[in-house]
Amino acid sequence: MTSLPLIPVDPDAPGARRASMPPQHLADLDLAGRKALVTGLGEPAFRARQISTHYFGRLVRDPAQMTDLPAASRARLADQLLPRLLNPVRELACDDGATRKALWRLHDGALVESVLMGYPDRVTVCISSQAGCGMACPFCATGQAGLTRNLSTAEIVDQAVYLAGVAASGAVVGSPARLSHVVFMGMGEPLANYNRVVAAIRRLVAPAPEGLGLSQRHITVSTVGLVPAIHRLASEDLSVTLALSLHAPDDELRDELVPVNQRWKVSEVLDAAWAYAARTGRRVSIEYAMIKDVNDQPWRADLLGRLLAGKLAHVNLIPLNPTPGSRWDASPKPVEREFVRRLRDAGVSTTVRDTRGREIDGACGQLAAAEDMGTDPAGNPSA
């Protein structure tokens, strides 16, 4: 087994390297905070509600379109409340336009990704919570890149607002025109950026104009298993779904695939997940990437079934989207089907994730890696 270094799980902790954070944005503040800022600029408090209605209610991010704000005030309010956070680098589409992946450059040059996925009954966006990731999972493109920094609350929220605007434009044919679901499964470990992620969730679920007005039950937060943070999330009085990236049912393999397991073992992580389910009443999603000849053996399916039987859990098997040059590959379909059969025979609810975006570097971190290497998604030199 290869022992990989554990990166500090809280880059904001004392002694951690300080990164350059973006300017404050209205999405960093609740409505009361926005009103205080606006009145401090000498504007009436109701201007905060006006500009918030544009951003969260109408999905307008361009101050020039906010024509109900006085021209004399618009630039100053925009400068203080709507600084540009996400600069588009690439936006690619596939699956007949139902999947759209955006690559953003942040104010300090860091790269992050977000994905919009349209279905007949819903529109889901997958957003990033960090630039890069410090969890060092060897089969993950983001993990290979390492951690650059945490994102601000507004940098997280702005991804969802932008893609909600794409959906509202009717660009995703055959899907509703309203964003309904958000998953924190993009770049980074959400619970390693705990305070800002929880603040972003509160912004996403608050009714407009304070927030985007999504259902808490339509928010999913993924984690590799930061046990103290899982317990803390359970106490937040939020009804979001917890998605646990397990990837192996035994400590020997999980120590290699998910290095944080060297700190919190499978039994501890699952106990925290069951405590979360008991506190919130929400079924835990167990994420399991199917990796050829690594974690897809029948005996591991049986072990996973024994660990999950009778629990409030659902297994989401993920066909691995290999990264360029990686030694990891997806499990063959017959192996995948046998894994599913064994889990279901154990009484464990199991599905295989719909594979989206392979031709546009759909795996998290691949598009950013291609940009850093100066190639296009096919690996050819970019212009």
Side-chain angles (χ1 to χ4, degrees):
M1 184 194 78
T2 302
S3 180
L4 296 173
L6 285 181
I7 310 299
V9 298
D10 183 4
D12 291 331
R17 179 177 62 86
R18 296 289 175 179
S20 172
M21 296 302 288
Q24 184 174 256
H25 184 280
L26 71 84
D28 289 310
L29 306 168
D30 60 16
L31 193 55
R34 294 169 215 163
K35 288 179 179 179
L37 180 58
V38 164
T39 55
L41 295 173
E43 296 285 342
F46 70 83
R47 295 285 183 228
R49 180 172 288 272
Q50 280 182 297
I51 199 166
S52 297
T53 297
H54 280 294
Y55 181 77
F56 282 116
R58 298 171 187 159
L59 308 175
V60 172
R61 299 162 72 252
D62 180 3
Q65 298 180 38
M66 303 178 184
T67 54
D68 59 339
L69 298 174
S73 303
R74 196 180 306 152
R76 182 170 55 161
L77 289 170
D79 182 62
Q80 294 297 316
L81 285 169
L82 289 172
R84 190 179 185 90
L85 300 179
L86 306 177
N87 297 291
V89 177
R90 293 182 185 174
E91 190 167 338
L92 306 175
C94 67
D95 302 320
D96 295 325
T99 303
R100 295 168 178 267
K101 187 165 190 176
L103 176 66
W104 311 102
R105 193 176 300 280
L106 308 182
H107 78 104
D108 57 355
L111 295 169
V112 297
E113 301 170 2
S114 42
V115 184
L116 180 149
M117 295 164 285
Y119 302 90
D121 61 339
R122 69 191 186 281
V123 173
T124 298
V125 297
C126 176
I127 58 178
S128 297
S129 55
Q130 296 179 310
C133 182
M135 296 298 105
C137 299
F139 59 91
C140 172
T142 308
Q144 294 167 28
L147 177 65
T148 300
R149 67 168 172 88
N150 283 331
L151 300 191
S152 70
T153 297
E155 286 174 320
I156 297 168
V157 172
D158 204 33
Q159 297 170 65
V161 171
Y162 174 86
L163 292 174
V166 172
S169 74
V172 187
V173 178
S175 298
R178 176 173 167 76
L179 172 66
S180 56
H181 293 67
V182 172
V183 296
F184 284 79
M185 294 183 176
M187 298 174 72
E189 162 56 52
L191 296 188
N193 188 12
Y194 186 91
N195 290 334
R196 297 186 185 101
V197 164
V198 169
I201 293 169
R202 297 196 186 283
R203 224 61 85 229
L204 292 173
V205 302
E210 182 153 2
L212 207 50
L214 301 181
S215 167
Q216 291 187 25
R217 292 175 173 267
H218 290 173
I219 307 288
T220 297
V221 178
S222 177
T223 179
V224 295
L226 306 189
V227 167
I230 293 172
H231 288 303
R232 186 178 174 190
L233 185 64
S235 68
E236 292 284 355
D237 195 28
L238 291 168
S239 298
V240 300
T241 297
L242 179 72
L244 174 60
S245 296
L246 193 65
H247 305 312
D250 56 302
D251 286 322
E252 182 179 8
L253 179 58
R254 195 169 193 265
D255 281 351
E256 180 178 0
L257 295 183
V258 186
V260 78
N261 198 75
Q262 297 168 30
R263 184 168 181 180
W264 295 292
K265 297 302 184 182
V266 169
S267 61
E268 296 174 89
V269 172
L270 288 177
D271 284 347
W274 308 146
Y276 183 88
R279 178 72 178 264
T280 63
R282 302 291 291 152
R283 184 174 70 170
V284 175
S285 179
I286 303 296
E287 308 292 299
Y288 198 102
M290 293 291 289
I291 308 173
K292 181 181 179 181
D293 299 330
V294 175
N295 66 350
D296 59 358
Q297 299 85 355
W299 71 265
R300 282 197 162 96
D302 293 340
L303 175 55
L304 183 60
R306 291 195 296 272
L307 291 174
L308 304 185
K311 301 298 187 181
L312 192 60
H314 173 88
V315 174
N316 187 20
L317 294 180
I318 307 165
L320 186 73
N321 193 349
T323 59
S326 172
R327 65 185 177 93
W328 313 93
D329 203 355
S331 300
K333 285 301 177 183
V335 173
E336 179 186 281
R337 287 193 291 269
E338 177 64 9
F339 207 93
V340 171
R341 185 190 68 79
R342 287 174 178 266
L343 287 174
R344 289 177 177 169
D345 284 352
V348 178
S349 173
T350 305
T351 55
V352 177
R353 179 183 289 177
D354 178 31
T355 55
R356 290 287 195 100
R358 285 183 180 270
E359 63 266 44
I360 55 170
D361 284 348
C364 178
Q366 283 186 280
L367 198 56
E371 180 67 21
D372 275 339
M373 292 187 296
T375 63
D376 65 16
N380 303 310
S382 57

